Amino acid sequence: MSLVHERTGRPVVITGGAGFVGANLAERLLQGGSEVLIFDNLSRAGVEKNLTWLKERHGSLLQVVVGDVRDGLAVREVVSGAAAVFHLAAQVAVTTSLTHPIEDFEVNARGTLNVLEAVRQQGTPPPLVFTSTNKVYGGLGDVMLEKVGARYTPASKEVAAHGIGEARQLDFHSPYGCSKGAADQYVLDYARTYGVPATVFRMSCIYGPRQFGTEDQGWVVHFLLRAVAGAPLTLYGDGMQVRDILFVEDLVEAFLAAHRNIGRIAGRAFNIGGGVANTTSLLELLRVLGELCGVQPTVTFSGWRPGDQRYYVSDVRAFGDAVGWAPQVGVREGLERLYRWVLAMQDRGQARPAATVSAP
């Protein structure tokens, strides 16, 4: 699918496009004939592999500009010719935000404001999709839970049936939650105040090929890397915490659907994840990984961390109703596909486990 048909010759700009999600989005757009400009500071380990992969496959259709969203001038330059903007660049780890809260704010909040200003200053502002996080809802400590098997289950039948909806009150917890939450609200306000055609995805756990994570982010692939290597890992909490996980191809479809329907969904935030059909606890996921690898990983436990959510599952009905989207890749299928990719990368010497692994 090409996104340049209305603004011929102008590229789709993906900030943070060298990362896992950005590389998968870029691949899909380039396959459809769109010109893509990736703007990335290359600070995340392993992302150079994604750029090499994209360049080898698509050549001159792909432009790469090395830069930082904290540099307002550089952001204006790359956005000035954009057909559409997918703003994915971010500081993504709660743990890092606790150690470096000012840097976290500068990247996530001020960086997003730089992008918004660059978009607003165009004669015809290009569509903008911004990736926020489920952490804007805080720890969800008021959601009553029951232990059922190896997972937490909501006592509320409504929450158990559908997950957490967008009507949930925002409750920022941790500097990361604050910085992403502030950015989230700025995007919505620029849509309302300035008419910027922008929407927000409050994302749950995304996983899939091209993910070169660290111990603080990208936990599904980290767990898999440790399991494949036969290495021990550490869970923070009791391992019964539940997440809905979304295969990256389904997220890319959501991005494209948002762009196609931006006129109807501008100014709205949507919870995006695997939904109630694609949930797993950490312990349940480890069992599946043990089945794939032929041996169960060795696990140790540590204390809960600030803002940890014992249960988070996205209610994806609002976005589905708005654009006709729904996840297509189930948990088992997605993990099997990721497992095959990890094995292929290890055969090429491109995937290694981190020293330790933490829960989300």
Side-chain angles (χ1 to χ4, degrees):
M1 173 186 177
S2 174
L3 297 189
V4 299
H5 59 285
E6 294 180 353
R7 300 165 70 96
T8 304
R10 296 188 174 187
V12 178
V13 172
I14 308 175
T15 71
F20 152 58
V21 171
N24 278 277
L25 174 59
E27 167 67 6
R28 178 64 182 278
L29 293 171
L30 291 160
Q31 282 182 335
S34 293
E35 297 178 29
V36 172
L37 189 157
I38 286 176
F39 182 73
D40 199 299
N41 67 2
L42 307 184
S43 62
R44 190 168 180 82
V47 297
E48 297 88 351
K49 301 182 184 74
N50 288 337
L51 292 182
T52 299
W53 176 69
L54 290 168
K55 272 293 186 183
E56 289 174 347
R57 293 169 64 83
H58 302 288
S60 61
L61 269 181
L62 174 67
Q63 304 174 57
V64 177
V65 176
V66 178
D68 196 296
V69 291
R70 289 170 288 187
D71 183 343
L73 178 59
V75 171
R76 287 196 297 274
E77 289 177 351
V78 297
V79 169
S80 64
V85 178
F86 293 89
H87 179 35
L88 316 182
Q91 190 297 109
V92 294
V94 172
T95 49
T96 300
S97 79
L98 292 167
T99 306
H100 304 290
I102 294 176
E103 179 183 356
D104 175 81
F105 172 85
E106 291 289 342
V107 173
N108 290 348
R110 182 53 190 262
T112 298
L113 190 56
N114 285 340
V115 172
L116 285 167
E117 277 293 279
V119 168
R120 181 174 75 91
Q121 290 167 10
Q122 306 309 303
T124 302
L128 169 68
V129 179
F130 169 65
T131 50
S132 183
T133 172
N134 60 38
K135 295 298 189 290
V136 300
Y137 297 117
L140 301 172
D142 64 321
V143 177
M144 297 297 101
L145 301 171
E146 303 168 346
K147 292 184 178 181
V148 178
R151 62 161 57 199
Y152 288 108
T153 298
S156 164
K157 292 182 179 180
E158 175 70 15
V159 176
H162 301 296
I164 304 297
E166 295 85 357
R168 174 81 191 183
Q169 181 178 344
L170 301 181
D171 183 23
F172 307 155
H173 191 166
S174 80
Y176 172 72
C178 290
S179 66
K180 291 295 283 187
D184 175 319
Q185 294 299 286
Y186 262 104
V187 173
L188 296 180
D189 188 67
Y190 266 59
R192 295 165 181 157
T193 301
Y194 298 113
V196 171
T199 192
V200 169
F201 280 9
R202 293 174 180 158
M203 300 201 306
S204 190
C205 300
I206 314 301
Y207 71 107
R210 313 308 313 172
Q211 191 170 26
F212 299 96
T214 67
E215 92 175 272
D216 295 316
Q217 201 272 338
W219 63 277
V220 174
V221 73
H222 267 307
F223 281 20
L224 180 52
L225 286 170
R226 300 292 287 184
V228 167
L233 57 87
T234 299
L235 299 185
Y236 291 84
D238 56 17
M240 297 179 66
Q241 53 264 56
V242 170
R243 298 290 184 270
D244 60 322
I245 61 177
L246 180 68
F247 197 67
V248 68
E249 288 181 8
D250 283 329
L251 176 61
V252 169
E253 290 296 335
F255 282 140
L256 300 182
H259 180 273
R260 289 193 301 269
N261 295 276
I262 196 66
R264 293 193 293 109
I265 66 172
R268 295 181 64 184
F270 298 98
N271 293 348
I272 302 292
V276 292
N278 296 288
T279 66
T280 181
S281 74
L282 307 189
L283 295 176
E284 290 168 347
L285 185 134
L286 288 174
R287 280 205 296 267
V288 175
L289 297 185
E291 293 170 6
L292 293 174
C293 300
V295 60
Q296 290 294 326
T298 301
V299 177
T300 58
F301 294 86
S302 189
W304 294 93
R305 297 176 302 181
D308 277 346
Q309 296 166 330
R310 284 168 170 76
Y311 176 92
Y312 183 85
V313 173
S314 308
D315 184 345
V316 298
R317 290 178 298 169
F319 189 67
D321 291 344
V323 306
W325 171 88
Q328 300 299 310
V329 179
V331 172
R332 181 74 187 215
E333 177 189 349
L335 291 175
E336 289 175 350
R337 290 169 65 177
L338 180 59
Y339 175 63
R340 291 193 293 270
W341 177 80
V342 165
L343 292 183
M345 288 298 100
Q346 289 200 330
D347 286 343
R348 301 185 183 104
Q350 294 184 10
R352 294 288 184 271
T356 58
V357 177
S358 56

